[in-house]
Amino acid sequence: AGMDKAIMKILFQGRGLPVCPWHGFIRAEWDRDRATVLASLDPLGLPVFVKPANLGSSVGISKVKTSAELVPAIELALEFDRKVVVEAAVPHAREIECAVLGNDDPQTSIPGEILPSREFYDYEAKYLDEGSKTVIPADLPAATVATVQRLAIAAFQSVDGSGLARVDFLMETATGNLYVNEINTIPGFTSISMYPKMWEASGISYPELIDRLIALALERV
């Protein structure tokens, strides 16, 4: 449930969490009647993001700005997965992240923000470019921080998470509206990854975080 972006969004919506308008389909539907699939995407408007449903590190993701770009983007996503998710883009979005730690009584870190070197945080921006930056804590009002943390726990619980997760948000700059983008149930965990860095800024060091995660795993056995 935490890997499949379509199932994930259905669970988020079932819990009443704010998600961007989206539509999902499988390769068989595309091969059988692509005109119907394309028509089902019309209500999303443009731009949209086209994603393989089950993949990480932003591999196979395209930002589509014109109708001519849509079919190639879908074909690219289908190279990586039999299921595709298409999402409406959030205008001038800020990329906010929050770490979750726990089992049945989870807690959250202070949020952080990604400042991508490219138009969005794609594979190159994550791993190849040196221009992307992280800001911890994110520059957010206290009320927004509280909302991010509340939604992060709700997203974690909606997929029955355990141990650790990183919840990623999109925030519309003009309105401040928050959307739950996805949950990462096995987030990056190097010393420079967002998950441990957000906890370090929240008062839990890297070694202590590992100890806490081991204890949480034993608790679940």
Side-chain angles (χ1 to χ4, degrees):
M3 187 69 189
D4 188 316
K5 293 177 175 61
I7 299 299
M8 178 197 306
K9 289 181 183 297
I10 291 169
L11 292 172
F12 289 168
Q13 289 174 305
R15 200 174 177 100
L17 304 184
V19 299
C20 300
W22 69 283
H23 183 72
F25 58 91
I26 61 174
R27 179 183 288 111
E29 294 174 286
W30 178 250
D31 291 342
R32 182 169 56 246
D33 189 353
R34 67 172 57 188
T36 297
V37 172
L38 291 171
S40 71
L41 303 178
D42 286 342
L44 300 178
L46 291 171
V48 294
F49 284 95
V50 179
K51 306 177 178 181
N54 297 273
L55 208 62
S57 296
S58 299
V59 173
I61 294 180
S62 304
K63 184 174 184 179
V64 173
K65 299 178 182 179
T66 67
S67 57
E69 297 171 340
L70 185 55
V71 169
I74 291 171
E75 296 284 359
L76 174 64
L78 286 170
E79 291 180 15
F80 297 96
D81 197 356
R82 58 178 284 277
K83 184 186 291 187
V84 173
V85 168
V86 183
E87 303 170 351
V90 175
H92 307 292
R94 293 174 64 184
E95 300 194 31
I96 307 297
E97 301 186 349
C98 189
V100 183
L101 177 68
N103 288 330
D104 296 332
D105 188 23
Q107 63 184 112
T108 58
S109 70
I110 59 174
E113 182 172 5
I114 299 290
L115 303 177
S117 59
R118 295 169 174 251
E119 188 170 5
F120 70 99
Y121 204 37
D122 61 5
Y123 184 90
E124 286 75 15
K126 287 180 178 180
Y127 302 114
L128 302 179
D129 291 352
E130 297 183 355
S132 295
K133 298 179 181 178
T134 60
V135 179
I136 305 172
D139 184 12
L140 299 170
T144 303
V145 170
T147 299
V148 167
Q149 292 172 324
R150 174 180 59 81
L151 291 174
I153 288 177
F156 185 79
Q157 292 173 331
S158 72
V159 301
D160 195 22
S162 64
L164 75 167
R166 193 191 73 237
V167 182
D168 298 344
F169 298 84
L170 297 170
M171 190 175 84
E172 190 173 353
T173 302
T175 64
N177 290 338
L178 277 167
Y179 300 90
V180 183
N181 186 32
E182 64 180 23
I183 186 168
N184 294 270
T185 52
I186 308 179
F189 206 89
T190 71
S191 60
I192 60 170
S193 297
M194 282 291 280
Y195 185 86
K197 286 172 68 176
M198 285 188 286
W199 278 118
E200 184 174 17
S202 303
I204 300 179
S205 68
Y206 193 84
E208 182 185 354
L209 182 57
I210 293 173
D211 289 344
R212 294 275 292 272
L213 287 166
I214 293 171
L216 288 166
L218 292 171
E219 178 184 292
R220 267 294 170 96
V221 172

